[in-house]
Amino acid sequence: MAAHDLSSPLLASTTPPPPPHLVLTVDGGDDDSKSRQPTANHQNGGRAHSKTNHHITPRSNSTTHHRNPFEFVGSDASFSAPPPCTIDPFRNGTPRIDGLYEVLKILLLLPIVVIRLVLFGLCLGVGYIATKLAILGWKDKHNPMPRWRSRLMWVTRFTARGILFSFGYQWIRRKGKPAPRGIAPIVVSNHVSYIDPIFYFYEMCPTIVASESHDALPFVGTIIRAMQVIYVDRFSQPSRKNAVNEIKRKGCCDRFPRVLLFPEGTTSNGRSLLSFQLGAFIPNYAIQPVVVRYPHVHFDQSWGNISLAMLMFRMFSQFHNFLEVEYLPIVSPLDNSKENPAHFAKREKPSNFMVEMAKVESLFHIRSLEAMDFLEKFLSMNPDSSGRVRVHDFLRVLKLRPCILSEEVFAFLDVEKSGSITFKQFLYGSLHVMKQPQFRSTCELAFSECDILEEHEISQHEFGDVIRLGIPDLDDAEVHELFKLFDVEGKGRVSKDNFTSCLRKNPLLIALFSACLAHRDAVDDDDDNSMVEEIV
């Protein structure tokens, strides 16, 4: 992954990004730039519109300073981004076989590799058969596994130790010991490699929380079903809620195994700690944290930017692989009360290890799912191989035509003046606008300006009258495409809720209403001046 600075794309990149920038700076505009705002001289529906045709090709890579199109919602001329994170928590340190020592070692150990591979296959086969027998005819999976079936699973647990041995883990160093299940029903651990769950299965045979996709994996799906796995789809609210309820239910019953969670939600290289998901902390049960480490010199065992086949081969071809497991002190909710899950989780991790998405959540107070919506929109802009989007694709997705206003919106994001933007620039810029103190009230004022007949709904005609103040000479087809973004129900009318919801999902579109609100303020000023003249 690229360095986590503002100018580096969050999407995978094969082309090195430009030099990093830590601060987004956009010229706040001056009188000259304001003079480029279209003048109003066309009457339509009681509102003034410009007849000047502004077909301008955006020139984002020029040195021209652009007016800040979001100044009217409270955005100043610049906004700060979080400091860059120079740590890549997903990068494997030895993705390739480098050095004469490694090559000679692999050649020397090739016969051992074959023996280990045979042992791995034998243990996997025996464990699979024992697990199939343990769950054969078992239908009441809502309740704890019967004792005789659990005894059969001991065979699978011993074969798991054989699998660890075949991978070169002849001995495993432990520090501390697991707490009794009745004291700490939930265990949380960092997640470095696919070796982690194999070790935990051998060590304590817990119930795990895993993605639904794991159920379809050969051999693995059968074994985790026997562990009475709790499936969760992280992108589904009902699924996450059901998973939390299952954690509570199984955590409070001593007949179930303890519950194991990897709260980071993915594997990392073990050199940093990713922000935690809160599922393990919502039930407010005592938790035992566990740390797994893989000390190494020549071979990094973390599952990062390395294929599973290569990782397994490298493990087979080592004299010995080191694994250290440290059981940490139990962490309980404060004063045995219902502590806030977020606060409970923070006591489990140092905040300075938070990575990209955690920074976004902390700065802008949005959920990961909301950020995913912005990612989907960015992907629809057809980013190139370096993860950057050009101006024409940006305008296409937002249904904007090339003009002065759309040029200013793009220039607001294009802080490098390169003619393209990264996902990080799109996300941070959009959220910066949406989180301005005046954003919500501006959305309501914009709706009021469109709602000429005060029917609490706006039509496409009313919408077009207002939009043409900002982008003159939009034809009906272009107005219709923009209106469809707001008319999510397809009724031809937009309610206030749908209007504000669309602007929350597309906060950059609030710039379309800057001209109508400026016109409104100008009218109010004229009325005030007339009143003063009458009083005089």
Side-chain angles (χ1 to χ4, degrees):
M1 292 178 61
H4 295 288
D5 54 77
L6 183 60
S7 60
S8 63
L10 295 186
L11 301 178
S13 171
T14 57
T15 304
H21 294 258
L22 302 185
V23 179
L24 287 175
T25 304
V26 180
D27 189 354
D30 49 29
D31 294 337
D32 292 336
S33 64
K34 290 178 182 178
S35 66
R36 294 187 288 119
Q37 185 71 18
T39 57
N41 56 22
H42 173 60
Q43 300 296 324
N44 188 350
R47 301 187 185 273
H49 299 293
S50 171
K51 287 294 290 182
T52 309
N53 195 356
H54 293 276
H55 292 283
I56 298 174
T57 301
R59 303 178 301 278
S60 297
N61 56 350
S62 70
T63 58
T64 304
H65 291 290
H66 297 279
R67 178 184 67 94
N68 178 1
F70 303 105
E71 187 175 1
F72 73 106
V73 295
S75 171
D76 55 15
S78 63
F79 62 93
S80 299
C85 175
T86 58
I87 298 174
D88 184 349
F90 308 106
R91 181 170 294 280
N92 182 288
T94 58
R96 295 179 298 275
I97 301 173
D98 293 325
L100 181 61
Y101 172 77
E102 280 296 296
V103 174
L104 292 177
K105 182 174 62 176
I106 290 174
L107 293 176
L108 178 64
L109 291 179
L110 277 179
I112 303 298
V113 170
V114 175
I115 295 174
R116 287 177 170 175
L117 186 59
V118 171
L119 176 61
F120 168 75
L122 181 63
C123 291
L124 187 63
V126 172
Y128 177 74
I129 292 172
T131 303
K132 290 291 286 186
L133 291 174
I135 63 176
L136 184 65
W138 180 37
K139 296 181 180 179
D140 185 19
K141 298 181 181 179
H142 183 75
N143 292 314
M145 177 179 279
R147 191 174 298 276
W148 71 268
R149 295 182 185 273
S150 298
R151 291 197 179 101
L152 272 177
M153 290 300 297
W154 272 100
V155 177
T156 309
R157 291 178 67 176
F158 282 122
T159 61
R161 184 63 185 94
I163 289 175
L164 291 172
F165 187 90
S166 71
F167 278 121
Y169 299 95
Q170 291 89 357
W171 64 86
I172 298 171
R173 182 185 175 190
R174 295 170 177 84
K175 183 178 180 180
K177 60 182 181 180
R181 192 243 182 260
I183 298 177
I186 297 178
V187 175
V188 296
S189 171
N190 61 324
H191 197 5
V192 178
S193 174
Y194 63 87
I195 295 297
D196 310 342
I198 299 175
F199 168 79
Y200 284 121
F201 175 68
Y202 163 68
E203 183 84 345
M204 58 184 70
C205 194
T207 291
I208 64 172
V209 179
S211 170
E212 294 177 345
S213 60
H214 287 66
D215 187 71
L217 295 176
F219 300 104
V220 175
T222 300
I223 293 174
I224 64 175
R225 282 196 295 274
M227 297 167 67
Q228 296 190 275
V229 61
I230 300 172
Y231 289 119
V232 60
D233 178 358
R234 285 183 294 169
F235 302 107
S236 168
Q237 178 68 26
S239 177
R240 296 199 309 273
K241 183 177 181 180
N242 178 70
V244 170
N245 291 335
E246 282 295 289
I247 293 172
K248 290 180 179 178
R249 186 177 72 88
K250 294 183 177 180
C252 69
C253 179
D254 288 340
R255 294 171 57 205
F256 281 105
R258 69 194 80 202
V259 181
L260 169 67
L261 296 98
F262 299 107
E264 295 172 290
T266 185
T267 56
S268 70
N269 57 23
R271 297 178 182 86
S272 60
L273 196 63
L274 308 183
S275 58
F276 282 5
Q277 305 296 323
L278 299 181
F281 309 95
I282 294 176
N284 268 271
Y285 296 147
I287 289 173
Q288 182 170 34
V290 186
V291 178
V292 294
R293 304 182 185 93
Y294 295 83
H296 68 277
V297 176
H298 302 285
F299 168 53
D300 184 355
Q301 301 151 62
S302 65
W303 196 0
N305 57 326
I306 183 173
S307 68
L308 177 60
M310 174 60 76
L311 190 61
M312 292 178 65
F313 175 74
R314 294 292 303 278
M315 285 184 176
F316 284 139
S317 58
Q318 303 297 312
F319 291 113
H320 173 74
N321 289 309
F322 292 91
L323 170 59
E324 297 179 355
V325 182
E326 181 176 1
Y327 294 92
L328 300 178
I330 296 171
V331 180
S332 301
L334 294 176
D335 300 325
N336 294 320
S337 61
K338 293 296 183 181
E339 183 181 1
N340 183 290
H343 295 163
F344 192 6
K346 284 180 180 178
R347 294 198 283 127
E348 291 292 305
K349 62 181 181 66
S351 60
N352 58 331
F353 284 119
M354 292 192 301
V355 293
E356 191 66 43
M357 194 55 235
K359 289 179 182 176
V360 174
E361 292 173 351
S362 175
L363 280 171
F364 301 108
H365 308 291
I366 68 163
R367 297 175 301 166
S368 299
L369 290 179
E370 291 180 272
M372 287 294 296
D373 290 338
F374 285 100
L375 177 58
E376 289 180 8
K377 186 169 292 294
F378 186 82
L379 291 175
S380 68
M381 295 178 186
N382 192 30
D384 60 22
S385 59
S386 65
R388 305 181 77 89
V389 164
R390 297 286 176 182
V391 60
H392 59 276
D393 287 315
F394 172 82
L395 299 181
R396 171 181 55 80
V397 171
L398 293 185
K399 311 300 182 184
L400 300 176
R401 69 184 303 179
C403 65
I404 290 176
L405 181 61
S406 58
E407 179 183 8
E408 291 170 344
V409 171
F410 188 81
F412 181 79
L413 304 177
D414 182 19
V415 294
E416 300 165 346
K417 307 308 174 193
S418 63
S420 63
I421 58 173
T422 66
F423 172 59
K424 186 181 292 187
Q425 292 165 352
F426 175 70
L427 178 64
Y428 276 71
S430 298
L431 294 180
H432 169 78
V433 172
M434 187 175 70
K435 293 303 178 179
Q436 291 303 311
Q438 300 177 32
F439 180 80
R440 177 173 295 184
S441 60
T442 303
C443 292
E444 294 174 353
L445 283 174
F447 180 83
S448 298
E449 286 298 297
C450 294
D451 186 18
I452 302 172
L453 302 179
E454 298 183 357
E455 297 176 334
H456 306 295
E457 287 185 330
I458 59 175
S459 65
Q460 179 174 317
H461 178 73
E462 293 171 319
F463 178 81
D465 286 347
V466 170
I467 294 302
R468 288 189 176 102
L469 282 171
I471 306 181
D473 286 352
L474 278 178
D475 59 38
D476 291 341
E478 291 170 324
V479 170
H480 178 67
E481 289 300 312
L482 266 173
F483 186 74
K484 284 198 302 184
L485 291 177
F486 293 81
D487 185 18
V488 292
E489 298 178 2
K491 300 189 303 183
R493 310 280 297 182
V494 175
S495 66
K496 183 177 181 178
D497 288 342
N498 288 342
F499 185 86
T500 55
S501 174
C502 177
L503 288 177
R504 276 189 58 83
K505 294 178 180 179
N506 304 275
L508 299 177
L509 292 182
I510 193 66
L512 294 173
F513 304 95
S514 60
C516 82
L517 295 178
H519 174 73
R520 174 180 178 275
D521 292 340
V523 171
D524 290 343
D525 289 342
D526 289 343
D527 290 342
D528 291 341
N529 292 335
S530 298
M531 184 177 297
V532 170
E533 289 177 359
E534 290 177 3
I535 294 174
V536 173

